[in-house]
Amino acid sequence: MNNIHYESYQEKDKMLLKVLDENGNTTDIEATKKEVHEKHLWHQEVAIFIINNDGKILLQKRSDFYNKNVQSIF
């Protein structure tokens, strides 16, 4: 597992990710996080939701510097 600490979202945008094919299989292609989002390439990502016993969801406030141009598939 990669234990690199990123100081900013700009640094995270430079992080290389494995590009997936339409079936979710890894390919030999790597692209930056920024590239996969700009080109709408499939890639591995994890979202974790923390819900307490009252049904409340813990939310993370995004940085003002977060890339708001990322398009969601939802």
Side-chain angles (χ1 to χ4, degrees):
M1 191 79 177
N2 187 342
N3 290 327
I4 297 174
H5 173 72
Y6 294 96
E7 295 297 324
S8 69
Y9 281 101
Q10 290 80 12
E11 288 181 40
K12 286 178 78 172
D13 282 346
K14 297 174 188 174
M15 179 175 60
L16 286 178
L17 301 172
K18 285 280 194 182
V19 175
L20 306 177
D21 66 17
E22 61 276 358
N23 296 313
N25 301 308
T26 57
T27 66
D28 292 333
I29 302 168
E30 286 187 336
T32 64
K33 185 173 183 175
K34 183 176 181 178
E35 262 185 306
V36 296
H37 286 191
E38 288 176 348
K39 296 179 181 179
H40 308 286
L41 301 172
W42 290 103
H43 62 287
Q44 293 177 332
E45 187 92 30
V46 174
I48 299 172
F49 296 90
I50 300 173
I51 304 171
N52 70 11
N53 291 336
D54 295 328
K56 294 180 181 177
I57 301 172
L58 176 66
L59 297 177
Q60 174 186 359
K61 184 178 188 302
R62 293 242 186 234
S63 164
D64 290 337
F65 301 106
Y66 179 74
N67 183 352
K68 294 178 177 72
N69 295 323
V70 175
Q71 295 182 2
S72 173
I73 62 171
F74 300 105

